[in-house]
Each structure stands twice: as C-alpha cells, then as structure tokens.
Amino acid sequence: MGRKERREREEKRENYATKHSNEKRKQTLIAVGVFVGIALIVGYASWIFINMTETAPGGPENAGALGSEHSHAAILVKIFGDTFEFSSPAFQIKSSWIHFEGNDGTTIHKHATGVNLGYLFDTIGIGIDDQCYVFPDGKSFCTNDEYTLKFFINREQVSDITNYEIMEGDRILVVFGSETPEEIESYLLQLDNQELIK
C-alpha cells in the first residue's frame, strides 16, 4: 500500500469520524433544546395554575383563586315529589370552581371563595331564579296559582338561592309543587340525613 493510498484512507476515516461526531452533537443539541422547551412550558403552566385568580379563563366573575376554599353542601331537589339528582355525567365537573363529582349527585363541592349557586346551575345548564327551575331540555317549572318554587337553606325558607355562597355542611332544599308543611318537613328530614360525600 502506497503513501498516497494510506493518506486517502486516513482522510476518509477522519472525515467519517468528524461527520459522525458532528451529527451526534447536532442530535444532542436538538434533544436538549426540546427538553428545555418542554420544561419551560410545564413550568409556565404550573405557575399560571398556582397563581390562578378570579380573572382565570372560565371562572366566575367574583371568584377567589382556585383552591382558596374547599366546602361541601348537600342538595335535594324535589319536583312534584320526585327527587332529581345530579349524578349523570351531564352534570359532573362542569367547572373547577364548583361542581358535582364522583358520580354523586347530592353533594356540591366548592373550590374557591366568591362562587355562588347561580354559577353552579349555569355551568350545568339549569336555569334557576326566584320563580322558575328550568331543565337543560327546556322543561320549566315556574311558580303559578297552583304550584310554587320554594328554597330552603339549613331549614330556613329563602326567596332565592342564586346569589348564595355555600359553606361547609350547608343543606339546600329546592321544592316545586303544592306540598303541605308536613311534606316539606319530611323532605327536610331526608336532607338532614343525606350523607355529604367529601
């Protein structure tokens, strides 16, 4: 083998090694860049979540930071004596601020200060005010000459619940029909015995 051939072989070997080394370095730099980018995105998203305030997208207007409170309240809705609960998937966790969860339709979970029941009902598609209770399919039950919509919070009758902000252990009864005081008392007793799922 001549000197010229040996030099050509050495050059080929050096070119191959240099090229291979450069390619490996390039791939390493790309991988490091991707991981740094992912870390920055995760860090920023975590910071946003931790510092979420009432201005966070999708939150109620006057709500405190998500996680500023964790309260539970029992609710019982009776329409013409039939119990309506919120255990179907259509009513589960529609908002992080206040919701029903775990396929339970009788316990309200509130995760921020300043969140009222009106916001809860809005998020699950139920219209409610001091006169009417309107299901998502449009069926409405409104106070008239024969039937009335009544609200009770901790056994006290109130005229409206939409602006009420639940506190731990509250008991909320919504009744539509022409119930006697005895029937109302039996509903309140049922509500008192209802377990809070935490």
Side-chain angles (χ1 to χ4, degrees), residues 79-189:
I79 307 289
F80 292 122
D82 293 327
T83 301
F84 180 82
E85 62 171 54
F86 306 92
S87 58
S88 83
F91 302 115
Q92 297 284 302
I93 310 183
K94 297 300 178 186
S95 166
S96 297
W97 281 264
I98 188 168
H99 55 252
F100 297 97
E101 66 184 31
N103 297 321
D104 168 53
T106 61
T107 302
I108 300 167
H109 299 254
K110 183 176 76 157
H111 295 277
T113 57
V115 184
N116 61 35
L117 288 174
Y119 180 78
L120 169 67
F121 284 105
D122 283 346
T123 63
I124 60 176
I126 291 181
I128 191 167
D129 60 27
D130 63 337
Q131 296 293 307
C132 293
Y133 189 94
V134 184
F135 285 99
D137 65 2
K139 288 183 187 163
S140 61
F141 298 89
C142 299
T143 296
N144 58 36
D145 292 340
E146 295 179 69
Y147 308 110
T148 56
L149 181 62
K150 297 183 201 71
F151 306 102
F152 297 83
I153 298 174
N154 300 323
R155 294 187 151 266
E156 297 284 324
Q157 187 167 359
V158 295
S159 59
D160 190 8
I161 61 169
T162 55
N163 292 318
Y164 184 74
E165 187 178 338
I166 68 164
M167 295 185 290
E168 183 65 31
D170 277 346
R171 304 275 167 176
I172 298 145
L173 175 64
V174 178
V175 177
F176 182 81
S178 58
E179 284 78 10
T180 64
E182 292 77 24
E183 289 171 315
I184 295 287
E185 180 57 36
S186 73
Y187 297 160
L188 290 168
L189 187 59

